[in-house]
């Protein structure tokens, strides 16, 4: 069983790491510290959906570059929500309760998956064929690791307010809570908070 220890530098583009030594000093903290069950896909219920930390890290890094995620606070929120919603990257389709068309690595609702797919020029022709069928749209996104792991960063950039983003950048509990309740529009739970705190600590978010 290969357990890849992923240095923080591999999770962030130079634009994020360069302004501060904080992330470099946190090495060799790893994605596995944030998603410990992502060490293997052996024996998982849906092996086709599972990604290990080693497999997930390049796609997460790519999403941060694409959607201009340049703060450890935002990164911690995104990684923690993906890990929480997918059981540490074990799933990219909603199985519980099984909402048709809900999925990608932040388990977006179908209406947001459609908006997300419409924002990707490379999917224009395939999306025209898929129409608005939620399962077909989701399949287009989950078939490609870049799109699959890019949804959380896309959602933050396009669906969350500047105020929410500023709160995440601050690294405060209140800032993260506002992201969960005001933008994700769900409930803060101890399990969600524990995951966020774990990611914030691993990424060297000030105050953690």
């Amino acid at each position: 069983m290969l357990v890849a220890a992923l240095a923080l530098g591999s999770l962030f583009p130079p634009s994020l790491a360069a302004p501060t030594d904080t992330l470099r000093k946190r090495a060799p903290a790893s994605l596995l510290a944030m998603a410990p069950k992502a060490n293997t896909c052996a024996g998982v219920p849906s092996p086709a959906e599972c990604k290990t930390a080693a497999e997930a890290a390049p796609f997460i890094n790519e999403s941060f570059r694409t959607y201009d995620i340049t703060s450890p606070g935002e990164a911690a929120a995104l990684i923690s929500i993906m890990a929480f919603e997918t059981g540490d990257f074990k799933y990219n389709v909603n199985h519980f309760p099984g909402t048709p068309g809900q999925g990608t690595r932040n388990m977006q609702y179908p209406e947001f998956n459609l908006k997300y797919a419409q924002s990707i020029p490379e999917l224009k022709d395939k999306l025209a064929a898929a129409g608005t069928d939620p399962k077909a749209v989701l399949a287009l996104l989950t078939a490609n690791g870049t799109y699959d792991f890019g949804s959380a960063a896309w959602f933050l950039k396009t669906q969350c307010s500047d105020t929410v983003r500023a709160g995440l950048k601050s690294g405060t509990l209140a800032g993260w809570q506002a992201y969960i309740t005001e933008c994700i529009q769900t409930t803060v739970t101890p399990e969600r908070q524990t995951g966020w705190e774990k990611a914030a600590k691993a990424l060297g978010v000030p105050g953690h």
Side-chain angles (χ1 to χ4, degrees):
M1 178 175 64
L2 176 64
V3 180
L6 302 174
L8 284 177
S10 70
L11 290 175
F12 295 93
S15 62
L16 190 156
T20 176
D21 288 332
T22 301
L23 297 178
R24 289 192 291 272
K25 289 177 180 178
R26 300 298 297 184
S30 68
L31 185 56
L32 283 175
M34 298 174 258
K37 292 184 290 185
N39 63 326
T40 180
C41 284
V44 299
S46 301
E49 298 178 41
C50 185
K51 289 287 186 287
T52 65
E55 294 168 325
F59 293 123
I60 295 172
N61 184 43
E62 183 180 4
S63 77
F64 291 165
R65 290 195 301 267
T66 299
Y67 295 105
D68 195 31
I69 305 303
T70 59
S71 74
E74 290 180 305
L78 295 179
I79 292 173
S80 66
I81 199 168
M82 286 189 284
F84 177 85
E85 295 290 350
T86 65
D88 289 0
F89 315 132
K90 295 291 189 289
Y91 303 98
N92 61 3
V93 174
N94 178 267
H95 296 281
F96 318 103
T99 303
Q102 182 178 356
T104 69
R105 296 298 166 171
N106 61 333
M107 287 295 159
Q108 286 189 150
Y109 287 115
E111 59 266 33
F112 293 111
N113 282 332
L114 180 59
K115 289 181 179 180
Y116 176 41
Q118 289 170 337
S119 76
I120 301 171
E122 293 80 1
L123 288 181
K124 181 178 179 180
D125 292 341
K126 291 181 179 179
L127 189 59
T132 58
D133 177 70
K135 288 186 176 181
V137 172
L138 176 59
L140 292 178
L141 297 173
T142 57
N144 182 297
T146 295
Y147 307 150
D148 191 20
F149 279 90
S151 57
W154 169 84
F155 191 93
L156 177 61
K157 182 172 183 177
T158 65
Q159 306 300 310
C160 298
S161 69
D162 289 342
T163 300
V164 165
R165 292 196 69 175
L168 288 182
K169 290 176 182 179
S170 75
T172 63
L173 176 60
W176 172 77
Q177 288 173 331
Y179 166 66
I180 294 296
T181 60
E182 296 176 20
C183 188
I184 304 302
Q185 296 189 359
T186 192
T187 304
V188 171
T189 65
E191 293 80 12
R192 285 184 182 275
Q193 184 171 331
T194 296
W196 168 71
E197 290 172 346
K198 187 187 302 180
K201 181 178 180 180
L203 296 181
V205 175
H208 298 271

